[in-house]
Amino acid sequence: VVSTQSTGDPERKLTIDELYNHAGFKLASFNTSALAGLAMFMFGNLITFIQMLTWYLKCVNKISGVEDLAVKIIVILGFIIGLPLSGVISDRIGRAKTALVGSYTVLISWLLSAISVTLLYATMLLVGGGFAVLLPSAIVFAFENSSLHQHNRVIMIVFGEYILGQIFCIVLFDTLINLVGWHWITAILAVPLIFLLIFFHVTNDSPRYLAISGRHHIAYEHLLMLHKSNNVPMMQGRLKTQEIAQRGQCCSPCSMVNLRATILLFILFLTFSFCYFGTSYGVFMTLLQSGVCETGKIVGYLTCESSTKSQLLRSLLALVPDILGLVFAVILSGAVGRKISLLILSAVAGVAMLANSVCFQPAVITLVELGLGRGFTYGALAIIMVYALEVYTTDRRCTSFSYLLVLYAIGIYLAGILTVEFMISTSVVFIVLGVVLFLALIPICFLEKVGKTDVDENLDEQQPLTSQ
């Protein structure tokens, strides 16, 4: 039996951030981040699955190159269309309910796409729209259920699950494609969505959102349950909060208070998304030209002619830079802060890209340079997303984050266009990516430091931290 006796001064003014720090980041906090992070796991599934499936269907002459491009554009279009509205809805009705709607939308449309190639085109727009509803709410939910000092751990979990989703899809596709076909693989990949549905059915919104919405009793019960799960006595005091109706438009992303940060984040979201996915495609083209496999083979994915084991190994090895880059970015961010970390990551990745363009050699050194570029841009992308989540206050956080994800989706599209347009010259791709990464240093220098205080602490009302 865990003691629920409170400790401390009943009149002490406490913030939710302080209560999360007091509870610690133990099993209950980890489970919350991991379950909410399943949305990123599924997004990694989607990105990888669309690439593998369309290439496989082209290989067996089920679709043409134009149809391949059309499927990818439809997914991105659905994602872009759904994002602005999803953020507004999440800030109105809550993260859990919005993520639940998104999970149902993705699950139903995903399963429908498994029926036939024809339905694949019709449902991919819904899949993209479903992820637009699910992803911002789930990510914001994970970060709001932790303190500022715990955000680096949440980064590792949530963005690590994106990589795990890619690995899961690669292994499943390469293992089962000749056994059960792509229809059943599509259905199996939807299984994690069931866990998301269960989780968001039974969970409440984060205490931060509940408090600003006036549901202080539920916020208290949530925090008390967290303390019980972590075997830590609850602190006594008065909870700092404020009604959402009193906050108004002062915290919107386009207000004068946040306009500078919003413009800089728009630029950086587009930049790092473009460079990460452009570098990923650059890895593919370099391997294609380096003699690792014969020209015309699909590197890193199963094709009609290539060995399954060799393609599986190359696929998994291509994700090693993402893992190392994420770990390095989190450690560096904890040591020197988000802003300095972004400067270092962007500069090193830019040097690696330009080195590839000047001294391009189909050898191991080229793959190492590409690994630095890919890994560091992924780490920078994770940090800039966390920075965005820390800049905006709770009542407009999901709206702001959704707007920024629109630029993320546009970056994916532009990266694909770049590699298609300059397929003849890989060096040109590397030059463009290197120059863009160095230009990103300018907006990074203008970013303000965040993370030392919680913006939600600057509130007016004081609510007693009791269950009454």
Side-chain angles (χ1 to χ4, degrees):
V1 179
V2 179
S3 173
T4 60
Q5 183 177 359
S6 300
T7 60
D9 179 10
E11 296 302 318
R12 179 185 175 186
K13 297 176 182 178
L14 296 170
T15 65
I16 292 176
D17 201 72
E18 290 174 315
L19 291 170
Y20 270 115
N21 280 329
H22 181 257
F25 197 86
K26 298 183 180 179
L27 184 61
S29 303
F30 175 85
N31 289 340
T32 299
S33 299
L35 287 168
L38 277 175
M40 281 293 278
F41 181 93
M42 286 303 303
F43 193 64
N45 263 348
L46 174 69
I47 294 293
T48 307
F49 179 67
I50 291 298
Q51 296 283 350
M52 298 180 74
L53 178 61
T54 53
W55 278 330
Y56 173 77
L57 292 176
K58 278 197 301 183
C59 182
V60 295
N61 299 317
K62 290 290 184 69
I63 63 174
S64 64
V66 175
E67 291 170 323
D68 169 17
L69 183 62
V71 172
K72 297 170 185 174
I73 292 176
I74 289 171
V75 174
I76 295 174
L77 184 62
F79 193 58
I80 292 174
I81 292 174
L83 278 169
L85 184 60
S86 74
V88 175
I89 294 174
S90 182
D91 284 333
R92 291 291 181 183
I93 69 173
R95 302 10 174 158
K97 291 180 180 178
T98 308
L100 191 62
V101 172
S103 299
Y104 273 117
T105 305
V106 173
L107 179 61
I108 294 170
S109 54
W110 192 295
L111 291 176
L112 286 174
S113 69
I115 297 174
S116 69
V117 174
T118 304
L119 277 176
L120 183 68
Y121 296 109
T123 56
M124 279 298 111
L125 186 67
L126 282 176
V127 170
F131 271 105
V133 177
L134 168 62
L135 203 60
S137 295
I139 294 175
V140 169
F141 181 90
F143 278 87
E144 286 183 351
N145 274 283
S146 62
S147 71
L148 287 165
H149 295 293
Q150 297 167 355
H151 280 179
N152 280 351
R153 300 179 187 181
V154 180
I155 295 174
M156 289 291 294
I157 296 170
V158 174
F159 289 91
E161 287 192 62
Y162 174 83
I163 301 173
L164 290 177
Q166 291 179 294
I167 294 173
F168 177 72
C169 182
I170 290 168
V171 173
L172 191 70
F173 199 97
D174 284 351
T175 304
L176 299 181
I177 187 61
N178 291 325
L179 297 177
V180 298
W182 71 270
H183 303 280
W184 281 105
I185 292 175
T186 308
I188 294 171
L189 287 173
V191 170
L193 284 167
I194 298 174
F195 294 99
L196 267 177
L197 287 171
I198 295 172
F199 172 67
F200 284 116
H201 258 300
V202 301
T203 192
N204 286 315
D205 275 302
S206 70
R208 298 180 191 278
Y209 183 83
L210 292 169
I212 64 159
S213 301
R215 291 174 282 177
H216 309 109
H217 174 74
I218 303 176
Y220 168 82
E221 294 295 337
H222 188 111
L223 289 166
L224 181 61
M225 182 178 65
L226 175 65
H227 281 73
K228 284 182 178 181
S229 300
N230 291 343
N231 198 19
V232 177
M234 187 72 165
M235 297 175 68
Q236 280 190 332
R238 299 180 69 82
L239 184 64
K240 290 186 178 182
T241 187
Q242 187 178 19
E243 298 295 340
I244 190 170
Q246 296 177 349
R247 309 281 299 274
Q249 296 297 317
C250 64
C251 303
S252 67
C254 294
S255 68
M256 292 306 297
V257 176
N258 288 326
L259 185 59
R260 171 183 165 180
T262 300
I263 293 174
L264 293 174
L265 287 171
F266 275 163
I267 297 171
L268 292 173
F269 263 68
L270 179 62
T271 297
F272 289 125
S273 172
F274 169 74
C275 290
Y276 169 68
F277 287 99
T279 307
S280 300
Y281 301 147
V283 172
F284 159 68
M285 290 193 299
T286 301
L287 288 172
L288 197 64
Q289 296 182 12
S290 66
V292 174
C293 69
E294 298 176 7
T295 304
K297 301 293 182 67
I298 301 302
V299 179
Y301 299 99
L302 182 65
T303 63
C304 300
E305 304 172 13
S306 54
S307 165
T308 302
K309 289 184 179 180
S310 63
Q311 299 300 341
L312 176 60
L313 179 61
R314 292 175 194 138
S315 300
L316 297 178
L317 286 176
L319 295 175
V320 171
D322 292 9
I323 300 170
L324 297 178
L326 178 61
V327 172
F328 180 79
V330 169
I331 295 173
L332 188 64
S333 176
V336 300
R338 313 248 189 268
K339 183 174 179 179
I340 303 299
S341 300
L342 287 171
L343 288 170
I344 294 173
L345 293 169
S346 184
V348 174
V351 169
M353 291 297 99
L354 291 178
N356 261 340
S357 67
V358 175
C359 306
F360 178 77
Q361 294 292 334
V364 175
I365 186 64
T366 299
L367 300 182
V368 172
E369 291 168 347
L370 272 173
L372 281 174
R374 174 175 170 141
F376 279 21
T377 49
Y378 183 68
L381 189 58
I383 290 177
I384 200 63
M385 285 192 180
V386 178
Y387 186 100
L389 291 167
E390 291 177 349
V391 165
Y392 301 103
T393 46
T394 302
D395 58 330
R396 291 293 184 272
R397 182 171 287 127
C398 210
T399 299
S400 308
F401 190 60
S402 297
Y403 291 160
L404 293 170
L405 285 180
V406 172
L407 276 295
Y408 171 80
I410 294 174
I412 298 175
Y413 174 76
L414 292 178
I417 294 298
L418 172 74
T419 50
V420 170
E421 291 294 329
F422 297 109
M423 184 69 76
I424 298 175
S425 176
T426 309
S427 294
V428 174
V429 175
F430 293 147
I431 291 172
V432 172
L433 294 174
V435 170
V436 170
L437 284 167
F438 272 106
L439 289 176
L441 297 175
I442 299 173
I444 292 173
C445 289
F446 287 98
L447 284 175
E448 297 178 359
K449 292 182 179 180
V450 296
K452 292 186 177 180
T453 59
D454 188 342
V455 289
D456 288 319
E457 294 176 10
N458 303 318
L459 307 175
D460 297 332
E461 293 187 13
Q462 308 294 315
Q463 295 293 332
L465 194 58
T466 66
S467 60
Q468 301 300 321

